[in-house]
Amino acid sequence: MKIDVTSFDGQAAGSIELSDEIFGLEPRADLIHRMIRWQLAKRRAGTHAVKNRAEIARTGKKMYKQKGTGGARHGSARVPQFRGGGRAFGPQVRSHEHDLTKKVRALALRHALSAKAKDGGIIVWDKAELAEPKTKILAGGFAKSGLVSALIIDGAAPEKNFALAARNIPQIDVLPVEGVNVYDIIRREKLVLTRAAVDALEARLK
């Protein structure tokens, strides 16, 4: 698959051949969905908790005698049906993670990249660099190229000035190639790859 290469402000800078093994697959929504569920579950803190009847600080004495009141029988004021009592079957601290094999995760990443390529959502830049960390300059370049919502993937580490300028622009994410992930690819309208990112992805996923 051949695609044009541009600069961040839309100037032509040649072309590049993308591997069909990574960018030319027929996207499988089920794989992408499984990967996104895995990512979102993995990042949940799982620190939600409530007190059950054993943890409520309240007397354990029987509330009133068993018989003769005309009311229901009760032995404890800590039970859930009373105000201030413990909660029945409430959430407890736990991990929400579930297993997903490495092969499936790598395959899901290929299918997410292929889905973007199929929709025409991939842009390749020669490089992502700025002479100075000015958000105004970067925002002007994005306006020229019509870039509103994008995930920008650079090589081993994003260029410092570019990363600083981009971090204050809404719906623009900048990540190193090691940080590329299915959730961020899908949630942004465009996926922007530098030449270095393309080389690194092809070396990693082939």
Side-chain angles (χ1 to χ4, degrees), residues 50-53 78-81 85-92:
V50 296
K51 289 183 178 181
N52 59 37
R53 61 181 290 180
R78 301 174 185 170
V79 292
Q81 58 262 49
R87 180 159 165 202
F89 308 116
Q92 295 297 321

Side-chain angles (χ1 to χ4, degrees), residues 12-78:
S15 62
I16 192 171
E17 191 74 30
L18 298 180
S19 170
D20 286 337
E21 294 175 37
I22 300 169
F23 298 92
L25 302 174
E26 186 60 36
R28 279 181 54 185
D30 63 312
L31 279 175
I32 294 170
H33 176 254
R34 283 177 69 189
M35 185 62 188
I36 290 174
R37 279 191 67 244
W38 181 83
Q39 277 187 249
L40 295 182
K42 192 175 175 66
R43 76 181 191 179
R44 288 182 68 177
T47 51
H48 45 10
V50 296
K51 289 183 178 181
N52 59 37
R53 61 181 290 180
E55 297 168 316
I56 294 295
R58 193 177 263 189
T59 180
K61 182 184 175 185
K62 188 170 174 66
M63 293 178 68
Y64 45 76
K65 63 182 182 176
Q66 180 85 344
K67 295 180 176 292
T69 64
R73 298 168 293 182
H74 288 293
S76 172
R78 301 174 185 170

Side-chain angles (χ1 to χ4, degrees), residues 5 11 33 61 92 101 106 109 111 159 182:
V5 179
Q11 302 296 317
H33 176 254
K61 182 184 175 185
Q92 295 297 321
T101 61
L109 181 55
H111 279 265
E159 194 266 330
V182 173

Side-chain angles (χ1 to χ4, degrees), residues 8 121 123 125 128 130 134-135 137-154 158-159 161-176 184-185 187-193:
F8 82 88
I123 298 169
W125 287 351
L130 280 180
K134 296 289 185 182
T135 300
I137 296 171
L138 197 57
F142 288 167
K144 285 181 186 176
S145 56
L147 209 61
V148 177
S149 169
L151 171 65
I152 300 166
I153 304 294
D154 205 350
E159 194 266 330
N161 287 343
F162 188 92
L164 287 171
R167 70 182 180 180
N168 201 33
I169 303 177
Q171 299 188 70
I172 298 292
D173 301 320
V174 180
L175 292 175
D184 282 329
I185 289 172
R187 80 190 187 109
R188 295 299 180 210
E189 185 182 337
K190 298 289 184 183
L191 172 63
V192 180
L193 303 170

